[in-house]
Amino acid sequence: MKWSLIVNTAIRDSRKERSKLILFMSSIILGVAALVAINSFNDNLLRDIETQSKSLLGADMTVSGNTPIPESLAMSLDSLQAEQSSEIELFSMSYLPAIDESQFVRVVGLTGGFPYYGELLTEPAAASTTYQSGSYALVDDGMLLQYGLSVGDSIKLGKVTFAIHGRLLNAFGSIDAGTSFAPSVYIAGTKMRDTDLLQPGSLVNYTQYYKTAPDIDLDQWKKVRRQQFRNASQRITTIQDQRENLQEAFANLNSFLNIVALISLLLACIGVASSVLIYVKTKVQSIAILRCLGMKSQEAFAVYFLQIFVLGLISVILGVAIGSIIQLILPIILKSFLPYEVSMRISLSAMTKGFVMGILSTTLFALAPLLSIRSVTPLQTLRVSDDPIKPDPVRWIVYGLIVLSITGFLYSLTGSIRDSVLFSGGILVAFLVLFAVAKLVTWSVRKYFPKRASFVVRQGLSNLYRPNNQTQTLIVSIGLGTGILTLLFILQGLILGNVEGMGAGNQPNMIVFGIESDQRAEIDSITQSYEMPIIQNVPVVTMELAGWQGRSKKEWLRDTTRTASRRTINREARVSYQAEMSPEEELIEGTYTGVYDGGDSIMISLDQRYADGLDVGIGDDLTWNVQGTLITTYVGSIRKINFRKMESRFFILFPTGVLEAAPQFRILVTKSPDKQVTADYRNSVVRSMPNASVIDLGNILVTLNSIITKVSYVIKFMAGFSILIGLIVLISSLFLSKYQRIRESVLLRTLGAVENKIYKINAVEYLALGILSAVTGILLAVSGSYLLATWVFELDFNISWIPLLGIFLFIIVLTLLIGLWNSRDVVSRSPLEVLRGV
Amino acid sequence: MILEAKEIKKIYQGVNKELTVLDNINFQVEQGEILSIVGPSGSGKTTLLGLCAGLDNPTSGVLTLAGESISQMTENQKADLRNRKVGFIFQNFQLLPTLTALENVMIPLELQERTEGAKAIAEDLLERVGLSGRHNHYPSQLSGGEQQRVSLARAFSNDPQILFADEPTGNLDEETGLIVENLLFELNREKQTTLIIVTHDLDLANKTDRIIKLKGGRIISDQNVNNASIR
């Protein structure tokens, strides 16, 4: 290899042609920038979770459950010799006497010096240390601002009125969704009993916080005792668990961003391949001359490989730099969405990953078209050859490496071999489908050629199959680009639509719970007095699973081979009973028994997910502990619940005639016409029944909406990258056509074709290509998103076709416009210049 | 002897049938000889030139160029041979559009890794063809005649033993063609190069020592210009 010659020729040859590689460079820059920005952000998120989880937990370890820690476990906890605090958390209505308003709040009763790490930020600052000394409350700052209240005013929780002692500027445990909907109020734990809010059936969470000596390995301690605590329905959380929980909480955001990163990179790779293909086509004559003058084929290949590699390297470096800058902006966009501040630091690992992936993908995707340089013969200086390209084993090796690298990249993102193989398999299938469509088009246009059509149509259509046609390249690249972009649009729409659907239409917007059985008539009458409908008024009985399939819960928990999930076994069951199944639910198996006939068997109905979680089916026995009384039941039917409706849904439904005498409370679901009625109704209910809580779903929907808006902003921001790269890919694919058609268009012009005719001929060709690519790409995206929505995201597949029609028209118009822009260039150039071939 | 063709046959594989472009081609060319190949369009002139210059492989037969059998050579060996011993002039000039006139002329020398003196040789040749002031001009900034003169300079830059010219004046007007022709013969005389010209132009052919006439892919005559038959 004559390296100095190769380097010199590469530099000289690229001098006048660098502009042709702008699209190539832009694709890489944007693709790598997206990759680095997303990976950097993920890295920072994970690093901050690592460093901040201690102060987010506030202690070295917590033990929590729906009941206080039983005596049986107290001894092993005492052995820790730790400093401890206890917390009782529940959700309840509060009453604000100063303004005669009520508000659903998260009440936290604290005893002890918690938090041990981090700070409970209050205003005045001293309030955080003194509020436990009397009937004082620390109230969420946002809530005080909303109602125009200040320190010194009062708040009534259950039966006790507390003086507002300070504004609460942060709250612990705020990654829990509940805290987004209900503002927090902190009181002394000793005052919690006095409020009388701790009623049977109330949703209460007891947490004990521990600060241990630094030499105690709590994870090891937990490992030994986890089983024992689990059996008592108590959960131990260490700082390590907190980290994992946080990481899991952000797993979906990570997954989505990773998909965007992959799509950006894939689109960039298509851009790379298309632009290099164009470049090589314009260089065939030069390569033939160099070969004629004695340059070896591998040297000619090296000249152009070097050019592409160096420009690729520069682009990757620029991409890494731009990506790092963008990642500094991401935390600002996500700021209000995240529970803590993400620091803005350059991530070396993300930069390295982006650099390596950028170089690898650029090289591999550029290699595919560059390899054809090796088959350019010196004979092409004498005459243009239309000889078919011979099969090249190296090309297949490159294709194989491309598939491997995509799969490898996916594996690095998902950590699942199955998912990465399936996803890259999907892309391969899409590629093959597009390739087959292109072949079918060339074959069928030739076979069923409209011989009687006008000259313009015949000329335009014949371009689809003539030698050097661009049908295959354009359909594959535009189709793949359109497909990937559409897939992103559909998935984004599906994810957002599924969440937004919860608040849509004529859904209930108010739930009252904690109503005692004897208050049923009263709540109905209050509701009706506001002319609000009683959509649901159902009883709720809390119970625990005591055993099933002939074995006790304890026996099952000890069995390591069981298939039932621990979560399902241990969860407190909130059961209802009703004679009729709700029309919103779907009976999947068995027969729904609404009324107990007094016979041997009580037939209950289970939700499909609950039955799956417990691994039980029709006819299996389940024994329940209903506040001390054991009741054996049998699975009579399995239902599918529609959770998108804002009504109470029960995993377990008993027939009527069994639980009527059990301790229970009721839930009422209604719909308020406006905010004023909501406020008045809420106040009436709280005044008449202090034990009941009114949840305004309207407020929740507003909060939910604001979260969705933020999430969709992030989704749109990141998807914007992919869309931009997609457009570059489309443009670069279309520019290919300019070089393919320039000579014949000029010849036609020379032979007397008027400008208009040349435009029309090209329009026919581009229109056909645009329609075929867009249709195929969109159909592939619809199939792909159906599979993803059903198998990965588990969403209802209900897409809106109008945006797809928009994409379809957009792609056609874009194809047509760029095609005509190319023709404009042909028309404006001197035919002589083109015919002289310089 | 610089070039020998023995029993050369070239067949192209068509869609449904084979197409014999050259058949039973036999001739020898001595060092320093100036020879033209003439014949009607489609007679196989350019194909024969491509084969002789090692740009393509014959279907059968043996070609010996500068003492080496090119039929047996690999693509790389042929490229090396072309670079050391062969020069080319094309009807459509075939200059590299991204290189300046000077760089185009230097390319064959640089391919030989002759970095020292390459520029001087190229400058000298450009001056010799009357383009001393156009070193840094790109092909698109030169007229057809000027481009062919750059091509001439490039063809002689590596001191070839044999020069192949495919319709060297075919794209030029009569006056410019004559200038290029004269330059070609002048330089050829100076460098003592064997020259093989493929042309339609009988006037140009008559200026060579020997004319091979092709028709339907076969040699129909091979004569010195004084009409003495060689075959």
Side-chain angles (χ1 to χ4, degrees), chain A residues 106-125:
Chain A
R106 168 184 175 239
V107 185
V108 181
L110 257 177
T111 314
F114 176 83
Y116 302 113
Y117 305 107
E119 257 183 286
L120 196 60
L121 293 174
T122 55
E123 196 185 285

Side-chain angles (χ1 to χ4, degrees), chain A residues 26-27 30-31 34 256 259-261 263-265 267-268 481-482 484-490 492 712 714-731 807 810-811 814:
Chain A
S26 327
S27 299
L30 284 172
F256 178 78
I259 285 182
V260 173
I263 287 176
S264 307
L265 192 74
L267 284 170
T482 310
I484 292 175
L485 276 183
T486 314
L487 184 77
L488 195 70
F489 270 116
I490 296 178
Q492 182 186 327
S712 60
V714 177
I715 290 174
K716 280 171 191 158
F717 181 83
M718 294 317 300
F721 262 104
S722 294
I723 291 164
L724 200 59
I725 302 169
L727 287 179
I728 289 176
V729 171
L730 288 180
I731 293 167
I807 294 177
F810 173 73
I811 298 295
L814 189 76

Side-chain angles (χ1 to χ4, degrees), chain A residues 2 5 12-13 15-17 283 285-286 289 291-294 296 298 378-379 381-383 836, chain B residues 47 55-56 75-76 79 82-83 88 90 94 96 98 103 107 110-111 113 138 142 147 154 166:
Chain A
K2 297 155 186 163
L5 170 80
R12 286 176 191 157
D13 183 80
R15 257 182 331 220
K16 279 184 82 189
E17 312 270 315
K283 289 293 177 187
Q285 202 61 14
S286 295
I289 298 168
R291 296 275 288 114
C292 201
L293 296 173
K296 297 180 178 94
Q298 62 266 41
L379 196 63
T381 48
L382 293 177
R383 52 167 63 107
R836 271 164 65 182
Chain B
T47 305
L55 301 181
D56 198 4
E75 275 305 314
N76 282 344
R82 282 199 299 272
N83 182 232
F88 288 97
F90 300 96
Q94 298 290 21
L96 291 160
T98 52
E103 287 166 351
I107 272 278
E110 288 182 318
L111 277 164
E113 296 186 276
Y138 287 99
L142 300 170
Q147 286 189 54
R154 183 180 68 183
D166 180 27

